[in-house]
Amino acid sequence: MLISRLEQLGLGVLTRSCPPELVDRVVGEAGRSEKRRRLLSARFTVYFVLAMCLFSQADYLEVFRLVKTGDKGLRSCSGVNKSSLTRARQRLGWPVMRELFRSVARPLGTDDELFHGLRVLALDGTLLAVPDSAGNNDAFGKSGSQRSPMGYPQARVVAVAECSSHALLDAAIGGFKDSERIVSDALDAHVATGTLLLADRGLWVLARWHRLRDQGTHLLWRIERRKARRVQDVLPDGSYLARIEANKHSKAAGTVKAPSALVRVIEYRVDGQADVVRLITSLTNHEQYPAEELAVLYARRWEIGLVFDEIKTHQRGRPVLRSQTPDGVRREIYAHLIVHHAARDLLDEAARLHRSTAERTSFTRALYVVRRSVISPSGFFPPRPESGTGASDSPRSAGVCCPAEDLATARA
């Protein structure tokens, strides 16, 4: 039943998520608008880059052939080759895709999925293999030693995801040698008042704790056992308040020493494991936020691992990204994040219409619907509204389907 909803929502999924007006605005703000009329416009190039992520097994010209069926102005065009497509993508640049992702990324979960009124987010990182070119090797680096590098260069992606909907909300890209702690410093979107951020001990930094708390977000963080030893008070549910201090060597690195923080510590063991899991949280009210509930909630941090799997295994479809340059790699990664959010948005809306949950339908099948919507000749590139006709900036006026509205009308 839910798949039939996906089929109804599928038309123009990418243009529904990234309407032409939004693409044109982002391109203009990035200074990438055309000074003269081009066959391969910046708008078309954006959609072409997104389509390359959907059809990762196809070469450039095959992807162009699939996509141009949705653009009347390109169906009979000639003279487009691999070099012209490459130049179009180079003109676009990777910051356009980053800003487009930041413009479309938003939480998709409902109020019913909040934890005591807090939206639960997870912070973590993953590695993506990129082609073994000289530029990629210099920019991203490989595993192994300098004398004996191993495998492909790898880009490190650190992201924030909404646990309930698997929607990625922000992401930063670094190299293999870059620490996840440093890369994650660039992540601020949607981490604010009304959110609860889950993170692993590898991302712990006291200065980041203070910065996130200043933004209004609450934190549930796993840390090493040697930290937070200065017990202030033991609470009735077995948790306790403790003072956590900055690393005494922080000044040696030339950084300003962060002040101490009062945290609530929760310790527990997982069945079958000897190690004690130690969590710290800013939620100090043990009556409103019982320790047992927080321990169970922390397991949802692994939801972001499922998000990475959806992108790397199901969406990407190939073990190595295709871009041969560092700029191309960054552009391709942000394009993959946009496509993933569009597919998740589709699943979320279909689930709401069917009064179900997106978790009951596979992400792979949603991708099939998105791919079919791209090669459909009925609207991957909706027409640009004529100026002076009184057309509004809404997706519907631009020719983008509004599936929820259309389905509601049909059901009525």
Side-chain angles (χ1 to χ4, degrees), residues 112-168:
D112 295 337
E113 297 168 318
L114 301 180
F115 175 78
H116 293 283
L118 299 174
R119 190 175 304 278
V120 181
L121 312 178
L123 171 68
D124 207 352
T126 189
L127 292 170
L128 295 174
V130 303
D132 195 0
S133 65
N136 285 344
N137 191 29
D138 292 341
F140 300 110
K142 297 181 179 181
S143 60
S145 64
Q146 186 173 1
R147 291 186 176 182
S148 302
M150 300 172 58
Y152 287 95
Q154 297 185 81
R156 186 179 301 281
V157 180
V158 183
V160 175
E162 184 181 32
C163 293
S164 60
S165 67
H166 288 190
L168 285 170

Side-chain angles (χ1 to χ4, degrees), residues 71-374:
D71 190 340
K72 295 180 180 179
L74 288 169
R75 291 180 193 175
S76 59
C77 72
S78 60
V80 175
N81 53 35
K82 182 178 178 180
S83 296
S84 58
L85 291 169
T86 299
R87 289 193 298 271
R89 291 183 296 119
Q90 290 172 345
R91 288 194 302 269
L92 186 68
W94 70 269
V96 170
M97 303 309 294
R98 179 190 62 190
E99 295 309 312
L100 183 59
F101 167 68
R102 290 177 175 176
S103 297
V104 302
R106 59 183 177 84
L108 301 176
T110 64
D111 291 344
D112 295 337
E113 297 168 318
L114 301 180
F115 175 78
H116 293 283
L118 299 174
R119 190 175 304 278
V120 181
L121 312 178
L123 171 68
D124 207 352
T126 189
L127 292 170
L128 295 174
V130 303
D132 195 0
S133 65
N136 285 344
N137 191 29
D138 292 341
F140 300 110
K142 297 181 179 181
S143 60
S145 64
Q146 186 173 1
R147 291 186 176 182
S148 302
M150 300 172 58
Y152 287 95
Q154 297 185 81
R156 186 179 301 281
V157 180
V158 183
V160 175
E162 184 181 32
C163 293
S164 60
S165 67
H166 288 190
L168 285 170
L169 305 181
D170 200 5
I173 302 171
F176 176 79
K177 303 290 185 180
D178 296 331
S179 166
E180 286 187 348
R181 298 178 182 179
I182 297 175
V183 176
S184 64
D185 284 339
L187 302 177
D188 290 322
H190 302 285
V191 181
T193 303
T195 62
L196 173 61
L197 183 66
L198 315 181
D200 197 16
R201 52 192 169 191
L203 290 160
W204 163 256
V205 178
L206 181 57
R208 179 179 294 118
W209 175 280
H210 286 295
R211 179 168 61 85
L212 293 172
R213 289 294 298 125
D214 290 342
Q215 293 174 205
T217 188
H218 281 289
L219 303 163
L220 182 60
W221 216 307
R222 184 174 181 180
I223 61 166
E224 300 173 354
R225 292 188 62 186
R226 67 175 182 269
K227 296 186 182 296
R229 291 181 173 179
R230 297 177 58 182
V231 178
Q232 303 283 313
D233 189 20
V234 178
L235 302 177
D237 63 353
S239 62
Y240 57 90
L241 301 180
R243 182 71 59 176
I244 189 166
E245 302 284 352
N247 190 319
K248 63 180 180 181
H249 301 295
S250 60
K251 285 188 176 181
T255 59
V256 178
K257 187 175 181 180
S260 63
L262 182 67
V263 300
R264 180 178 169 207
V265 183
I266 301 170
E267 295 180 333
Y268 62 94
R269 279 191 175 90
V270 178
D271 291 342
Q273 297 184 10
D275 293 341
V276 175
V277 178
R278 171 176 282 200
L279 305 178
I280 59 173
T281 182
S282 59
L283 301 173
T284 56
N285 189 329
H286 67 278
E287 295 180 347
Q288 186 175 359
Y289 309 102
E292 184 177 354
E293 288 187 13
L294 291 173
V296 172
L297 179 69
Y298 184 75
R300 301 213 64 179
R301 188 189 71 81
W302 298 106
E303 298 287 338
I304 193 171
L306 299 178
V307 175
F308 292 146
D309 178 70
E310 289 170 357
I311 296 174
K312 297 169 67 173
T313 304
H314 305 290
Q315 179 177 303
R316 185 177 56 172
R318 55 193 297 161
V320 182
L321 298 178
R322 68 166 88 208
S323 301
Q324 298 288 330
T325 65
D327 284 356
V329 166
R330 295 184 179 95
R331 181 174 55 242
E332 185 177 355
I333 290 175
Y334 279 113
H336 269 293
L337 302 184
I338 294 170
V339 170
H340 181 272
H341 196 280
R344 273 287 153 199
D345 193 9
L346 172 70
L347 274 171
D348 181 73
E349 183 164 353
R352 287 201 304 270
L353 291 170
H354 192 57
R355 297 181 181 178
S356 181
T357 61
E359 296 176 353
R360 298 186 61 182
T361 301
S362 74
F363 176 78
T364 304
R365 301 196 65 176
L367 276 178
Y368 293 156
V369 174
V370 178
R371 289 179 179 129
R372 285 196 293 273
S373 78
V374 168

Side-chain angles (χ1 to χ4, degrees), residues 14-15 17-18 23 43-56 63 67 89 92 97 100-101 315 331-332 334-340 342 370 374 380:
L14 289 183
T15 48
S17 181
C18 303
V23 173
R43 178 199 289 185
F44 171 82
T45 305
V46 167
Y47 290 124
F48 175 72
V49 170
L50 296 177
M52 286 173 57
C53 296
L54 279 172
F55 304 100
S56 57
V63 175
V67 171
R89 291 183 296 119
L92 186 68
M97 303 309 294
L100 183 59
F101 167 68
Q315 179 177 303
R331 181 174 55 242
E332 185 177 355
Y334 279 113
H336 269 293
L337 302 184
I338 294 170
V339 170
H340 181 272
V370 178
V374 168
F380 182 64

